[in-house]
């Protein structure tokens, strides 16, 4: 009866994919519960380096069942593209189940996303143009198309598409000055995709209920991070579905009390793709240095290839991120990245209008926030090969422990490299 959520404490890109792939070896079900193909999870294992956008990060373990839950924005073209790429790399066909209640990202969502970013021009939110905001807008306007609709009455589906397109036609013509769409455009290729999807579709809510009741281990894998949550993050520079563990049960279809373990993945420094306030952001040469040392091959968006904005560790944001996730534990990633630095600043508070602030504020206040930095000594050596906490240089241990003090939670594991096994238990012995 074990359900664990693996979620981000920051702005995304914390390394959730790596942690999920690593934990999946001892899990039975890996479930995506929100978001779509708008962000990438980078995984480095025996198949090389793979970026997953939609498929759950358990797909490399043939014993697991990978589930796309009702809360996901499902783009079938992207799903099968990713699937085909995996098979071409020699990954055995994963066991995949797709919720009949999940809703579809359709070509008009992608177009609306693109047109809206074009219209906003310099005021853009930094959309990845995967149709995610128009998709969730349709879902809550109740004109979304569910997977189950693909296998019902043809006329009903056409009526639903017409209804979904009615408002968009007006926008296309009068706001975006584009040729409007009709249901026939949306229909092209849809039935072929539906047939390909058919063997994977089931009521995943029943599947997961039975799995949980029979004591199977379930991982719920979040996309992006706490600070991108539409209610609690840096709205409107947020994503369009909840990134929080509190939503994991909803988006997966499990009772809230089933999720007993919430692992927040915390990055040892800050990174952020897209627009929005970012208090510890670095510029110039200092930023470039951190960017090229970051991640597995520099800090560039796994989905977009865009250079990520980077900054020092932000304890105000991360503490808040861990709190709103309801973390029962945390895992620190990317510690090895900081090994080139003589000194490592940490932001322990914000200065806003002359006041020291330690509670993460709302977006308008963030725009005026300055970081209050404390400087830790660096360790100036690679740590990727370490196999235990006690092998970490003393200054690296001090850095880890200072972060723990600041965020109020002890790390259970420390990731010291992008590879699957480059992770050590936190341990308690200082060298
Ligand atoms: P996710 O969406 O949270 O899975 O994160 P991304 O895949 O977008 O970005 C995380 C980046 O950090 C990727 O480039 C990973 O390969 C990399 N990564 C994860 N853990 C570590 C680590 O401990 N050290 C290093 N150097 N890179 C890591």
């Amino acid at each position: 009866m074990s359900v664990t959520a693996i979620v981000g404490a920051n702005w995304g890109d914390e390394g959730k994919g790596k942690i999920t792939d690593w934990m999946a070896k001892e899990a039975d079900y890996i479930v995506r519960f929100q978001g779509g193909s708008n962000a990438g999870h980078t995984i480095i294992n025996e198949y090389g380096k793979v970026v997953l956008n939609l498929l759950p990060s358990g797909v490399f373990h043939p014993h697991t069942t990978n589930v796309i839950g009702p809360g996901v924005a499902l783009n079938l073209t992207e799903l099968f593209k990713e699937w085909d790429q995996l098979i071409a790399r020699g990954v055995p066909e994963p066991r995949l189940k797709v919720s009949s209640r999940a809703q579809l990202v359709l070509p008009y969502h992608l177009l609306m996303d693109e047109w809206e970013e074009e219209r906003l021009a310099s005021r853009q939110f930094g959309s990845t143009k995967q149709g995610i905001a128009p998709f969730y807008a349709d879902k809550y306007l109740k004109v979304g198309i569910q997977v189950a609709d693909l296998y019902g009455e043809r006329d009903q589906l056409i009526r639903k598409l017409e209804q979904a397109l009615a408002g968009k036609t007006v926008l296309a013509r009068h706001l975006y000055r584009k040729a409007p769409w009709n249901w026939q455009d949306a229909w092209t290729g849809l039935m072929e995709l539906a047939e390909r999807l058919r063997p994977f579709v089931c009521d995943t809510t029943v599947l997961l209920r039975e799995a949980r009741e029979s004591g199977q281990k379930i991982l719920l894998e979040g996309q992006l991070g706490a600070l991108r949550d539409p209610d609690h993050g840096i709205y409107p520079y947020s994503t369009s579905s909840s990134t929080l563990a509190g939503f994991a049960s909803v988006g997966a279809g499990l009772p809230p009390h089933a999720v007993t373990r919430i692992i927040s993945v915390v990055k040892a420094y800050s990174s952020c793709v897209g627009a929005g306030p970012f208090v510890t952001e670095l510029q110039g040469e200092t930023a470039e240095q951190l960017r090229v040392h970051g991640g597995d091959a520099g800090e560039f968006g796994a989905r977009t290839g865009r250079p990520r904005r980077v900054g020092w560790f932000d304890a105000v944001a991360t503490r808040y991120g861990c709190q709103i996730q309801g973390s029962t534990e945390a895992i620190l990633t990317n510690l090895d990245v900081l090994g080139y630095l003589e000194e490592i600043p940490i932001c322990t508070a914000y200065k806003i209008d002359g006041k020291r602030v330690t509670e993460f504020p709302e977006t308008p206040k963030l725009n005026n926030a300055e970081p209050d930095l404390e400087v830790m000594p660096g360790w100036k050596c690679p740590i990727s090969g370490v196999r235990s906490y006690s092998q970490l240089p003393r200054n690296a241990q001090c850095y880890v422990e200072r972060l723990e003090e600041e965020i109020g939670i002890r790390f259970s594991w420390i990731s010291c490299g992008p590879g699957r096994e480059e992770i050590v238990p936190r341990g308690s012995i200082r060298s």
Side-chain angles (χ1 to χ4, degrees):
M1 298 261 282
S2 142
V3 183
T4 301
I6 302 172
V7 286
N10 307 121
W11 296 264
D13 312 322
E14 298 93 349
K16 298 174 295 297
K18 171 193 160 151
I19 301 301
T20 308
D21 169 58
W22 169 69
M23 288 189 67
K25 65 177 182 283
E26 286 174 9
D28 302 296
Y29 288 80
I30 294 83
V31 188
R32 277 283 310 270
F33 61 86
Q34 48 93 209
S37 55
N38 49 323
H41 289 178
T42 312
I43 294 169
I44 299 177
N45 57 25
E46 69 269 35
Y47 298 100
K49 174 172 164 172
V50 188
V51 176
L52 296 177
N53 299 118
L54 257 174
L55 286 167
S57 300
V59 288
F60 303 99
H61 301 272
H63 71 275
T64 63
T65 301
N66 292 274
V67 176
I68 297 202
V72 170
L74 178 61
N75 179 329
L76 293 179
T77 309
E78 289 289 320
L79 179 78
F80 289 123
K81 193 162 95 191
E82 207 168 299
W83 175 278
D84 292 341
Q85 282 166 356
L86 278 194
I87 306 303
R89 293 181 87 119
V91 178
E93 268 201 16
R95 217 178 299 154
L96 176 69
K97 296 287 173 195
V98 175
S99 168
S100 45
R101 293 188 177 86
Q103 296 195 15
L104 301 172
V105 176
L106 290 164
Y108 49 79
H109 294 125
L110 284 100
L111 270 183
M112 297 295 287
D113 205 354
E114 193 181 313
W115 294 344
E116 180 62 6
E117 286 285 286
E118 222 173 274
R119 186 184 74 85
L120 289 171
S122 61
R123 293 169 294 127
Q124 286 183 5
F125 294 112
S127 166
T128 55
K129 301 192 185 128
Q130 293 298 305
I132 303 303
F135 163 88
Y136 280 107
D138 272 6
K139 180 171 186 169
Y140 294 108
L141 273 172
K142 296 181 282 283
V143 292
I145 308 291
Q146 285 188 312
V147 165
D149 291 324
L150 295 173
Y151 309 106
E153 291 277 320
R154 180 190 146 101
D155 286 354
Q156 251 186 33
L157 177 55
I158 292 172
R159 264 198 302 281
K160 285 190 174 193
L161 285 170
E162 281 173 339
Q163 208 187 342
L165 286 166
K168 290 177 190 63
T169 303
V170 179
L171 289 176
R173 215 178 256 135
H174 300 291
L175 182 66
Y176 301 120
R177 313 260 169 221
K178 307 278 184 189
W181 272 54
N182 59 31
W183 71 264
Q184 284 93 340
D185 297 315
W187 195 264
T188 312
L190 189 58
M191 288 303 110
E192 288 77 12
L193 288 168
E195 277 319 301
R196 197 171 171 196
L197 183 70
R198 197 188 281 273
F200 303 109
V201 177
C202 72
D203 185 338
T204 56
T205 309
V206 173
L207 180 79
L208 292 175
R209 186 182 66 221
E210 288 174 356
R212 179 174 165 258
E213 281 169 1
S214 63
Q216 308 274 293
K217 282 193 176 158
I218 302 173
L219 300 181
L220 309 179
E221 178 185 14
Q223 186 217 33
L224 296 167
L227 303 165
R228 297 287 187 193
D229 183 77
D231 290 299
H232 299 276
I234 51 170
Y235 187 86
Y237 304 98
S238 48
T239 190
S240 307
S241 63
S242 177
T243 55
L244 301 184
F247 182 75
S249 58
V250 178
L254 283 160
H257 55 80
V259 186
T260 49
R261 196 174 168 204
I262 298 171
I263 302 178
S264 282
V265 184
V266 170
K267 197 162 181 163
Y269 53 95
S270 301
S271 72
C272 160
V273 175
F278 185 24
V279 178
T280 63
E281 182 168 18
L282 295 169
Q283 305 290 350
E285 185 53 26
T286 324
E288 200 45 36
Q289 283 288 312
L290 184 50
R291 189 173 298 117
V292 297
H293 284 94
D296 65 272
E299 288 290 351
F300 298 93
R303 167 83 233 182
T304 57
R306 292 187 286 192
R308 289 181 184 144
R309 300 159 71 194
V310 289
W312 303 128
F313 183 83
D314 183 337
V316 182
T318 310
R319 180 170 53 242
Y320 174 74
C322 287
Q323 284 166 352
I324 56 171
Q325 288 292 10
S327 320
T328 58
E329 87 197 64
I331 294 182
L332 184 68
T333 62
N334 285 273
L335 184 65
D336 54 301
V337 167
L338 302 175
Y340 74 98
L341 286 159
E342 207 65 64
E343 291 186 320
I344 313 173
I346 298 173
C347 169
T348 54
Y350 296 160
K351 286 176 275 183
I352 303 176
D353 301 330
K355 289 204 189 77
R356 193 167 186 275
V357 172
T358 53
E359 293 288 351
F360 191 73
E362 309 81 6
T363 309
K365 291 187 193 139
L366 280 173
N367 291 325
N368 302 323
E370 302 260 317
D372 191 355
L373 297 173
E374 165 185 317
V375 177
M376 302 282 297
W379 48 94
K380 289 289 286 173
C381 65
I383 55 166
S384 292
V386 301
R387 288 292 164 262
S388 71
Y389 187 71
S390 61
Q391 285 175 5
L392 282 177
R394 163 115 188 148
N395 284 353
Q397 293 175 346
C398 289
Y399 184 77
V400 168
E401 290 164 29
R402 185 73 190 97
L403 300 194
E404 289 176 335
E405 251 168 47
E406 279 296 322
I407 64 171
I409 187 160
R410 197 173 190 272
F411 297 116
S412 46
W413 293 82
I414 318 276
S415 173
C416 299
R420 187 188 269 166
E421 300 304 331
E422 291 181 293
I423 186 161
V424 295
R426 159 68 169 80
S428 55
I429 316 144
R430 279 194 184 183
S431 55

